[in-house]
Amino acid sequence: MSIIIREALITDCPRLLELVKELAVYEKAPDQVTVTLAHFEETGFGPNPVWKAFVADRDGMVVGFALYYVRYSTWKGARMYLEDVLVTEKMRGNGIGKLLFDRLIVEAKEKAFNGIVWQVLNWNEPAINFYKKYNTAFDPEWINCSLEVES
């Protein structure tokens, strides 16, 4: 099996959204994905992109991705925020997640980010165990907050 890790292209966006929806089902929130394809493309590939992604390509089919954006910490400086990493269910267990995560680490070093931060659901044991392989620090002190802004 040949897997190529490459930067996402705008033509990958429909497939990326399929995988985002697959992730939402896995995370028990299938109705929470409300982003449109047009908005997804614009915010990733328009004049002011806010996210970047790497994809795992197997023979022309995207079977996984890692999407990040830049977060700024007044204490630490510019950091990579990993929004999502997903390998489609059928392809899990083949080392694709490691390939994607290792590429993120290279990207963080190339861009001189001082770290990578992300969230993981407390019940997602497979993901937690994966992250432990990278000597990840888990922080139980912070509470997630969210505010929906209507236009």
Side-chain angles (χ1 to χ4, degrees):
M1 174 175 49
S2 176
I3 301 293
I4 297 168
I5 304 299
R6 62 172 173 78
E7 289 187 17
L9 306 170
I10 193 169
T11 54
D12 294 319
C13 286
R15 177 64 177 150
L16 289 176
L17 273 181
E18 288 175 8
L19 295 178
V20 165
K21 290 174 184 174
E22 180 179 323
L23 178 61
V25 168
Y26 178 78
E27 292 185 349
K28 302 174 176 84
D31 298 332
Q32 296 298 312
V33 179
T34 59
V35 67
T36 65
L37 177 58
H39 182 75
F40 193 70
E41 290 173 341
E42 176 71 18
T43 55
F45 298 94
N48 298 305
V50 297
W51 61 264
K52 181 175 179 177
F54 293 100
V55 298
D57 186 315
R58 179 181 180 218
D59 302 322
M61 172 61 87
V62 172
V63 296
F65 76 97
L67 186 145
Y68 81 89
Y69 54 88
V70 179
R71 173 181 182 234
Y72 191 81
S73 165
T74 55
W75 291 10
K76 305 286 185 182
R79 309 194 94 189
M80 176 185 285
Y81 187 87
L82 174 57
E83 178 65 22
D84 287 325
V85 60
L86 171 84
V87 175
T88 193
E89 187 174 2
K90 293 178 183 178
M91 296 302 295
R92 291 181 193 147
N94 291 302
I96 298 169
K98 180 177 181 351
L99 292 173
L100 286 164
F101 207 79
D102 289 348
R103 181 62 184 93
L104 290 170
I105 293 169
V106 168
E107 178 87 348
K109 290 177 181 179
E110 288 174 353
K111 301 230 183 250
F113 298 143
N114 59 32
I116 304 171
V117 293
W118 66 94
Q119 297 170 307
V120 61
L121 291 164
N122 62 0
W123 56 261
N124 192 346
E125 288 295 322
I128 291 168
N129 291 332
F130 174 81
Y131 297 136
K132 285 180 179 177
K133 295 176 185 175
Y134 285 89
N135 200 27
T136 297
F138 294 88
D139 186 345
E141 291 183 283
W142 292 89
I143 297 172
N144 291 317
C145 300
S146 173
L147 174 67
E148 300 294 325
V149 179
E150 295 182 27
S151 47

